Amino acid sequence: MTTGPTASNAVARASSLVLLTLATAQFLMTLDASVMYGSIATVAEDVGTTVTGIQAAITLYTLVMAALMITGAKVGAIIGRKRALAIGLVIYACGSFTTAIAPNLPVLLFGWSLLEGIGAALILPAIVALIAGNFTVERRPAAYGLVAAAGAIAVAVGPLVGGFCTTYFSWRWVFAGEVVIAAAILLLSRRIADAPVEKQPRLDYVGSVLSALGLALFVFGVLRAGEWGWIQPKEGGPSWAGLSPSIWLMLAGLFVIWIFFRWEARVVARGGEPLVRPAMLQNRQLTGGLTMFFFQFLVQGGFFFVVPLFLSVCLGLTALETGVKLLPLSVTLIAAAVGIPKLFPDVSPRLVVRSGLLAMLAGTLVLLGGLDVDAGAEIVFVPMLLVGLGIGALASQLGSVTVSAVPDEESSEVGGIQNTMTSLGISLGTALAGSLLFATLTTAFLTNIEQSSAIPGRVKSQAQVELVGGVPFISDADLEAALDEARVSSRATDDAVAAYQDARIVGLRSALAILALLTIVALFLAQGIPTVQPGQGDRGGGVPG
C-alpha cells in the first residue's frame, strides 16, 4: 500500500501552504511601509496635500503599529492567534480600501495610518505565534527564515512596485491590490492550525495604556528628531526649556515604559495576568535574540534610507529604476534565509548571526569606499548582494532563537515584543542616518561655499543665514533652479552645484559610517545568541559563554 508516502506528501503540501500564507502576510505588512517612498510627491499632489503631509501619514502608521504591537499580541492570545490574524486582515483590508479611494489627507490618515496600523498590530504577532504552533522545533528555523525573508524582500521590491504602478497606472492600485492579497490570505488561512489555549488569559488594560503611551511618546520623539533636532533645537524649530522637544518626548516615553514594567511586576506579585511577564526579559537567549532583531532593523532601516536617496536624488533615477537597482538584494537574501537552515541544520546560530553581521558590514564598507561624486549606479550592486546575504543569514536564525527561548504558549507575547523591537529599530535607524546625513551635508556645503573664490561674498553671507537651519537633500536640477531664481551668476551657480555635490556625498558617507559602527557594536552583543540549534540542547539555554 502507498498510503504512507501519500499521507506524507499531503502533510508536506499542507505545511507548505501554511508557510506560503504566513510569508505572504509578512510580505504584505512590510510592503506597505516601503511601497510609496518613491511616489510621495505624486500621492501628495493627488490628495491635495504636501510631501510633509504624506511623510506624516507614514510616520503615524509606524507609530500606531509600534504602540499597539504588545497589546495586539495579548489580544491574539485571548481570542486565538488564527482569529486575530483574520480580524487583523479584515481591518487592514478596510484600511487599504479607504486609502485607495481617499480624496484628501484626513481620509488617507484614517485608512493608511490608523486602520492599517491597527490591523498590522494584530497580524504580525499572530504570524510569529502561528509558526510556532504549526511547525516542529526542528523546522522552525527554515520557516522563520522564509517568513522574515518575505518581509525583507518587500522592502527591496516596494519602491519597484510603487514606482511601476505610479508610472503606468496610479498609486491607488497598490492599495487596491493589497485588498485582494489580504482577501486571498484570509481564504488560505483556513488551513492554518490554531494553537490551543490551556487557560483563558485576561487583558491588562492599565498595562495596555501604559505600553502604548510609552512606546508612542518614544517613537514619535525619534521620528521627529530629524526635523526638531535630537538634543539642541534646530534653527527656527520648537524649543522646550532650551532643548528639542524630541529629547523630552523620548525621556517621557522611557519613563512611562519604566512605570509600565513596575506595574507589570505588581500585577504578577498579586497573581494577575500581566501584558508582558517581566521575568521573560531575564531570559538571556530571548534578550539576545531581541537585541539582534533591533540592530538588524536599525542598520537595515538606515541602509534602505541612504541607498534610494543616492540612486534617486544624486543620480536622478526614476522610482522604477531605483527599485530595479535594489533587486539584487533579494537574490542573496532568499538564498541565505532558505538555504542555511536546509543545508546546515545543525550550524551554530551565533556563528550564522555573526557571519550575517559581517556580510552587512562588508556591504556597507564597500559602498562607503566606492561612493564619490563620479560614481554611477553600478556601485550599489555588490553592496546589495552582501547586505542581502547578511539579512538573509540573520532572518534564518533570529525568529527561531527568540521563540524557542520560551514555552509555545508564550510565543504570542514574544511576537509582540519582537515586532516592537523591529519597529523601534527601523524608526531609530532611519532617524539616525537621516539626521547625521543632513547635519553633515549642511556643514560640508557651507564650508565648501565659504572656500570658493567664485561665489560672491553677499551670496556666502546669505547662505550662512538661510541655510544654518539645515540644507535639504535635493537634486542638481532643483538646486540650479533655486539659484537661477535667486539670480546668481552662472559661474557662481556652477561652483555652488559642485560644492553641493561634494557635500551630498560627504553626508551619505557619514550616514553609512554610523551604520557600519552600529553593525560592529552588534557583533559584540551577539554573544547572547546560543551556539546550539533549538531542540538540540536545553530549551531555554544553550548560551554558553
Side-chain angles (χ1 to χ4, degrees):
M1 295 181 65
T2 59
T3 53
T6 302
S8 178
N9 291 338
V11 170
R13 284 195 299 270
S15 63
S16 297
L17 184 60
V18 168
L19 187 55
L20 176 64
T21 303
L22 296 175
T24 305
Q26 184 76 40
F27 179 89
L28 180 62
M29 296 300 99
T30 314
L31 180 73
D32 195 75
S34 65
V35 72
M36 284 291 104
Y37 278 119
S39 311
I40 289 177
T42 305
V43 180
E45 183 180 355
D46 208 12
V47 297
T49 186
T50 62
V51 169
T52 303
I54 302 303
Q55 289 174 330
I58 298 173
T59 298
L60 287 174
Y61 171 69
T62 305
L63 191 65
V64 170
M65 190 167 56
L68 298 180
M69 197 72 71
I70 294 176
T71 300
K74 178 60 72 172
V75 169
I78 293 172
I79 66 176
R81 285 70 180 245
K82 186 176 177 179
R83 184 178 296 175
L85 177 68
I87 294 173
L89 285 167
V90 171
I91 296 173
Y92 190 89
C94 290
S96 296
F97 179 75
T98 303
T99 306
I101 63 172
N104 50 46
L105 181 60
V107 176
L108 187 80
L109 290 171
F110 177 72
W112 192 356
S113 305
L114 182 62
L115 291 181
E116 290 194 22
I118 293 172
L122 286 169
I123 293 168
L124 288 168
I127 291 174
V128 176
L130 288 171
I131 292 174
N134 283 265
F135 295 92
T136 61
V137 173
E138 294 75 18
R139 295 190 60 195
R140 284 177 195 168
Y144 281 117
L146 185 59
V147 170
I153 290 170
V155 177
V157 304
L160 177 63
V161 174
F164 179 82
C165 289
T166 303
T167 301
Y168 296 106
F169 304 103
S170 167
W171 62 270
R172 297 180 185 275
W173 285 101
V174 175
F175 292 94
E178 288 185 353
V179 177
V180 176
I181 296 173
I185 297 171
L186 191 60
L187 187 64
L188 292 172
S189 65
R190 294 183 300 174
R191 300 290 186 93
I192 299 174
D194 199 1
V197 180
E198 294 182 2
K199 67 174 185 176
Q200 187 66 31
R202 299 176 62 184
L203 182 61
D204 174 14
Y205 292 101
V206 174
S208 296
V209 172
L210 288 173
S211 68
L213 178 61
L215 289 168
L217 287 170
F218 184 82
V219 173
F220 187 66
V222 168
L223 291 171
R224 301 302 291 174
E227 183 177 340
W228 292 342
W230 286 91
I231 299 177
Q232 293 298 321
K234 286 195 172 183
E235 189 76 19
S239 173
W240 296 354
L243 298 175
S244 166
S246 290
I247 186 65
W248 289 114
L249 288 170
M250 286 186 281
L251 289 173
L254 290 174
F255 179 67
V256 174
I257 291 171
W258 177 80
I259 295 175
F260 163 72
F261 278 110
R262 297 303 303 162
W263 171 262
E264 295 300 277
R266 182 181 179 186
V267 171
V268 172
R270 291 182 171 185
E273 180 76 20
L275 192 67
V276 174
R277 303 173 194 278
M280 183 185 293
L281 299 181
Q282 297 174 9
N283 184 315
R284 186 183 175 195
Q285 178 177 324
L286 176 61
T287 54
L290 293 174
T291 302
M292 288 302 100
F293 262 116
F294 174 75
F295 273 91
Q296 176 196 332
F297 283 87
L298 185 72
V299 176
Q300 182 179 314
F303 193 82
F304 277 105
F305 174 79
V306 171
V307 175
L309 274 183
F310 169 69
L311 294 172
S312 62
V313 178
C314 296
L315 302 184
L317 300 186
T318 65
L320 190 59
E321 292 169 333
T322 299
V324 170
K325 296 300 180 183
L326 298 177
L327 280 180
L329 174 139
S330 303
V331 177
T332 49
L333 194 155
I334 294 177
V338 179
I340 291 174
K342 186 173 183 179
L343 298 176
F344 308 102
D346 300 327
V347 70
S348 163
R350 188 187 298 173
L351 176 62
V352 175
V353 167
R354 282 182 170 161
S355 299
L357 291 171
L358 286 171
M360 293 177 72
L361 177 62
T364 305
L365 292 177
V366 169
L367 182 57
L368 180 61
L371 203 60
D372 58 46
V373 175
D374 300 320
E378 69 281 352
I379 70 163
V380 306
F381 180 72
V382 172
M384 294 306 289
L385 291 176
L386 289 170
V387 171
L389 184 65
I391 294 174
L394 290 166
S396 72
Q397 305 297 315
L398 292 184
S400 182
V401 165
T402 55
V403 175
S404 67
V406 299
D408 284 350
E409 57 268 21
E410 296 179 8
S411 60
S412 184
E413 290 180 52
V414 170
I417 301 172
Q418 177 179 300
N419 282 289
T420 299
M421 296 300 286
T422 60
S423 296
L424 289 174
I426 291 174
S427 302
L428 191 56
T430 304
L432 274 175
S435 61
L436 186 59
L437 187 157
F438 291 120
T440 311
L441 168 64
T442 300
T443 302
F445 185 43
L446 293 176
T447 301
N448 290 347
I449 286 178
E450 193 63 35
Q451 293 174 349
S452 174
S453 60
I455 298 176
R458 65 174 182 82
V459 176
K460 293 179 181 179
S461 300
Q462 186 178 2
Q464 291 287 350
V465 172
E466 294 187 1
L467 301 179
V468 69
V471 175
F473 198 92
I474 57 176
S475 65
D476 295 345
D478 288 340
L479 179 60
E480 289 172 356
L483 292 171
D484 287 342
E485 187 178 339
R487 297 182 180 179
V488 177
S489 68
S490 58
R491 183 186 174 192
T493 295
D494 291 341
D495 269 44
V497 170
Y500 183 73
Q501 287 175 338
D502 179 73
R504 203 165 49 192
I505 295 300
V506 171
L508 290 170
R509 284 176 176 167
S510 299
L512 289 171
I514 192 64
L515 297 179
L517 179 62
L518 291 169
T519 310
I520 293 172
V521 172
L523 281 167
F524 284 98
L525 297 177
Q527 189 70 17
I529 302 297
T531 56
V532 178
Q533 284 290 340
Q536 295 179 355
D538 292 335
R539 187 167 179 75
V543 195

